[in-house]
Amino acid sequence: MKKDQNLESPLDVLISSFNNSFPLNEKEEEEVRRLFKKKVLKRKGALLQEGDVCKHISFVVSGCFKMYAVDTNFKEHNLQFAIENEWIADIQSFYDEEPSRLSIEALEPSVVLQITHEDLLYLYINYHKFDRNFRIINERKFINFQDRILQSISFTAEERYLNFQRDFPELIKRLPNTQIASYLGITSEFLSKVRKNIVKKK
């Protein structure tokens, strides 16, 4: 989290984030303060569990989260990470209001601001600026997922790691090898080999 955010309330941080795209007026800021609710989680706290309906979309004020699926061999596969000023939710479960196939867990002590599906639709209908803001948020997520799929089918493990290092420098500092390896689709042992090979090439 940025140092200047330490002096801001969680809602001020969220409003600042919205203002970076489409600045809110006084009434819109009031609605944000009314509808978004703060939630505090400990490390390993569950924001969403597989089988539950994702009832909130969450803005990360502080901390770090992973969204993951568990296969039939009980192996975890990380789909997404989210840190300060980012959003996380199982979008399919949130909008379709169906049980999620994913879980979301805090990797650090974390604080989020959440809004329900019903309240978000209210904002979309009554304040079109929120519709535009969330369209940008969802478009960026879609671009990231599309890029990740392309990398998974055409890039080597080393190339995927180098891109992860370039695109998410903060996560490299904060995540253990096991979490990064799960995201890249390799074992932590193989990730260690990849890192050694990169060092040798320098």
Side-chain angles (χ1 to χ4, degrees):
M1 188 163 64
K2 295 178 181 178
K3 290 182 180 179
D4 59 352
Q5 286 183 0
N6 293 328
L7 302 176
E8 297 179 286
S9 74
L11 286 165
D12 287 334
V13 175
L14 175 56
I15 289 169
S16 294
S17 179
F18 280 131
N19 288 342
N20 287 333
S21 298
F22 295 99
L24 306 181
N25 60 35
E26 185 175 340
K27 178 60 178 174
E28 290 161 344
E29 287 191 13
E30 289 177 4
E31 293 287 36
V32 168
R33 297 183 188 281
R34 182 174 71 88
L35 297 175
F36 280 85
K37 307 302 180 186
K38 178 182 172 182
K39 184 178 180 71
V40 179
L41 296 98
K42 296 180 180 179
R43 181 176 175 272
K44 293 190 175 182
L47 198 58
L48 174 68
Q49 293 183 317
E50 181 184 359
D52 293 343
V53 175
C54 184
K55 295 182 178 179
H56 303 87
I57 186 168
S58 301
F59 174 80
V60 183
V61 178
S62 64
C64 180
F65 291 87
K66 67 174 181 178
M67 182 163 65
Y68 65 96
V70 179
D71 64 22
T72 53
N73 295 317
F74 304 103
K75 182 180 179 181
E76 292 184 5
H77 301 272
N78 289 336
L79 275 70
Q80 179 190 345
F81 298 111
I83 57 174
E84 290 83 7
N85 291 306
E86 295 180 344
W87 297 83
I88 192 163
D90 176 354
I91 295 299
Q92 180 181 7
S93 176
F94 180 75
Y95 283 107
D96 292 344
E97 299 182 290
E98 294 181 351
S100 177
R101 293 174 290 177
L102 305 172
S103 298
I104 302 175
E105 179 184 300
L107 296 172
E108 302 170 355
S110 303
V111 176
V112 297
L113 289 169
Q114 299 183 305
I115 189 168
T116 65
H117 183 256
E118 180 182 359
D119 287 340
L120 186 59
L121 290 180
Y122 164 82
L123 289 180
Y124 285 171
I125 293 168
N126 293 281
Y127 304 94
H128 297 302
K129 201 176 292 180
F130 289 103
D131 187 31
R132 294 195 293 272
N133 264 307
F134 277 95
R135 187 176 70 243
I136 290 174
I137 292 165
N138 289 329
E139 285 172 351
R140 288 172 179 165
K141 291 293 184 187
F142 179 80
I143 290 168
N144 288 338
F145 276 121
Q146 179 175 275
D147 181 60
R148 188 179 173 202
I149 292 170
L150 288 171
Q151 289 192 40
S152 70
I153 62 177
S154 59
F155 284 37
T156 66
E158 182 175 313
E159 289 170 334
R160 295 200 302 275
Y161 175 72
L162 287 171
N163 286 341
F164 185 89
Q165 191 176 46
R166 178 198 66 202
D167 296 337
F168 309 109
E170 184 67 23
L171 289 176
I172 290 289
K173 302 173 188 175
R174 294 166 68 169
L175 294 176
N177 279 0
T178 52
Q179 298 298 334
I180 297 173
S182 175
Y183 181 87
L184 296 175
I186 58 178
T187 65
S188 55
E189 292 79 10
F190 190 65
L191 176 57
S192 294
K193 291 180 181 178
V194 167
R195 282 177 155 169
K196 288 178 182 177
N197 288 337
I198 292 171
V199 171
K200 287 179 182 178
K201 292 178 181 178
K202 290 182 178 179

